[in-house]
Amino acid sequence: MNTGISLAQFIAEQSAKAADQDVTDLHALLGHVATACKVIGNAVARGALTGSSGSAGTDNVQGEVQKKLDIISNEILIQQTEWNEHIAAMASEEMEDIYPMPTSRQHGKYLLVFDPLDGSSNVDVNVSVGTIFSILQSPAGKQPSAADFLQPGTAQVCAGYAVYGPSTMLVFTTGNGVHGFTLDRETGEFILTHARMTIPADTREFAINASNSRFWEAPVKRYIEECLAGTTGPRGQNFNMRWVASMVAEVHRILVRGGVFMYPKDTKDLAKAGKLRLMYEANPMSFIVEQAGGASSTGRARIMDVQPDQLHQRIPVILGSKNEVERVVRYHQETL
Ligand code: AHG
Ligand code: MN
Ligand code: MN
């Protein structure tokens, strides 16, 4: 039997400690997002049993084929959180426009932003997927527009993810370290199992989709070639490689044992600045990674300093163990 601190207890303690209504309200919202993640985790786990595996036959605003579970997860997040009085509006990777709250609840203080199902290309093959979320402040006294979501990552008040793997875990930060909770399926509660997660500064493991290598820029090619050269190359040590194709699973691995993750700028499609989305993936994961002592960059700038100009904007991502991220950034500077 697990006697660890539950998410409900953790939230109550944090709220009592802060004695600040904004913190209490933020934690209440976090509790509702956690419930949504449990429901999504169940939907993902039941998959083919409920006929919800496979493609929905539609494209999202980014031109990507939607899985049925992308749409189901998006609906669950809305249903489970829209009645929270503190949300003013939501934005999702799976919705073209922002989702405003009913008129009676327009003046909530927070904006909720999410990737409802990350790594959904993995869902039919039973590999880990997840949900990524970010919470921003809403402008006071007015119904927010899409432009009000365009805040840099440094403005986030909370960010987190759930990973639906062998265990379902919820990991988040409110700017005071990174905390990981594991779902106890017997009680239905998230239990604190990973307090104050930290990323080691050094690593010998990298994650990148090497099928894109011919499209990479010179600094990324150099970094990966040096890793692959192992003990006989300039790094003088062997490196290991992983690629799950679910950012949540990659970031979770890095939080547990270190590593560097890259979806860098490439020349595959010049219309796209990167593959990953700034608001739904890059910013929340950067907040978590930095709070755990890691670093996160486009290769040319700190991700959380980038001023977004579009809701669905894409961006290059290099994140994880600090010394390796700094090395990749240095390689970019040296080739300028
Ligand atoms: P999503 O399923 O939300 O569209 O995100 C998938 C992302 C990310 O999770 C992963 O790192 C990357 O796309 C995988 O891309 P490739 O299929 O190009 O490897
Ligand atoms: Mn995603
Ligand atoms: Mn997604």
Side-chain angles (χ1 to χ4, degrees):
M1 175 154 155
N2 202 317
T3 52
I5 300 173
S6 70
L7 179 64
Q9 264 175 285
F10 183 88
I11 283 176
E13 280 169 17
Q14 296 298 313
S15 300
K17 226 187 276 173
D20 173 336
Q21 193 56 43
D22 285 350
V23 175
T24 303
D25 296 344
L26 178 64
H27 280 93
L29 172 52
L30 181 57
H32 292 152
V33 173
T35 303
C37 292
K38 285 186 210 172
V39 180
I40 295 172
N42 281 337
V44 166
R46 289 179 64 73
L49 295 175
T50 53
S52 55
S53 47
S55 163
T58 48
D59 284 0
N60 65 13
V61 57
Q62 344 220 358
E64 295 162 341
V65 177
Q66 287 177 307
K67 297 278 184 182
K68 286 183 199 161
L69 277 162
D70 282 320
I71 297 171
I72 293 168
S73 304
N74 194 63
E75 281 167 2
I76 292 171
L77 256 158
I78 292 173
Q79 279 164 11
Q80 294 292 327
T81 58
E82 69 177 341
W83 55 275
N84 180 293
E85 60 184 327
H86 306 302
I87 301 183
M90 303 185 208
S92 162
E93 180 185 284
E94 301 300 339
M95 298 189 288
E96 182 161 4
D97 299 316
I98 66 165
Y99 183 92
M101 293 301 117
T103 333
S104 56
R105 274 180 268 130
Q106 277 185 357
H107 298 310
K109 56 184 119 170
Y110 296 116
L111 304 175
L112 178 63
V113 177
F114 47 84
D115 174 356
L117 198 61
D118 175 66
S120 58
S121 73
N122 281 326
V123 78
D124 296 339
V125 291
N126 204 9
V127 169
S128 293
V129 290
T131 297
I132 309 172
F133 62 93
S134 162
I135 303 175
L136 297 161
Q137 252 149 1
S138 185
K142 81 179 213 1
Q143 176 62 0
S145 65
D148 293 314
F149 282 77
L150 303 181
Q151 304 179 33
T154 49
Q156 294 171 101
V157 292
C158 177
Y161 65 82
V163 58
Y164 314 117
S167 305
T168 287
M169 284 194 67
L170 179 76
V171 175
F172 64 84
T173 183
T174 53
N176 182 24
V178 179
H179 307 288
F181 294 74
T182 303
L183 183 63
D184 181 338
R185 291 185 195 279
E186 285 179 14
T187 61
E189 281 195 291
F190 278 115
I191 304 293
L192 181 63
T193 47
H194 296 62
R196 299 217 164 266
M197 300 176 88
T198 52
I199 300 174
D202 291 300
T203 180
R204 292 183 187 187
E205 191 164 75
F206 66 88
I208 194 162
N209 184 339
S211 72
N212 294 324
S213 59
R214 67 190 185 284
F215 303 112
W216 295 338
E217 294 187 311
V220 172
K221 276 189 183 155
R222 174 184 169 192
Y223 177 78
I224 298 298
E225 273 163 18
E226 289 182 0
C227 291
L228 293 175
T231 48
T232 56
R235 302 297 305 271
Q237 52 186 1
N238 291 328
F239 279 74
N240 191 24
M241 196 200 85
R242 287 286 184 273
W243 187 250
V244 186
S246 287
M247 190 190 197
V248 276
E250 320 272 11
V251 170
H252 190 67
R253 185 185 62 250
I254 289 171
L255 280 166
V256 172
R257 68 179 191 206
V260 60
F261 165 88
M262 291 186 258
Y263 216 119
K265 182 172 188 302
D266 63 35
T267 57
K268 196 173 180 181
D269 178 350
L270 293 171
K272 291 180 184 163
K275 160 133 196 206
L276 299 175
R277 275 69 33 145
L278 175 57
M279 305 293 295
Y280 315 112
E281 294 167 323
N283 269 341
M285 292 311 205
S286 299
F287 190 16
I288 291 167
V289 165
E290 286 197 11
Q291 279 290 313
S296 181
S297 172
T298 65
R300 294 175 170 85
R302 179 186 178 214
I303 287 179
M304 288 209 291
D305 284 337
V306 172
Q307 173 59 50
D309 52 32
Q310 280 175 51
L311 209 48
H312 297 289
Q313 167 173 357
R314 294 174 192 260
I315 191 159
V317 174
I318 297 158
L319 59 75
S321 291
K322 204 165 198 264
N323 291 340
E324 292 302 300
V325 174
E326 284 175 357
R327 176 182 286 270
V328 184
V329 169
R330 196 168 71 241
Y331 288 4
H332 279 80
Q333 286 161 352
E334 285 173 11
T335 45
L336 279 181

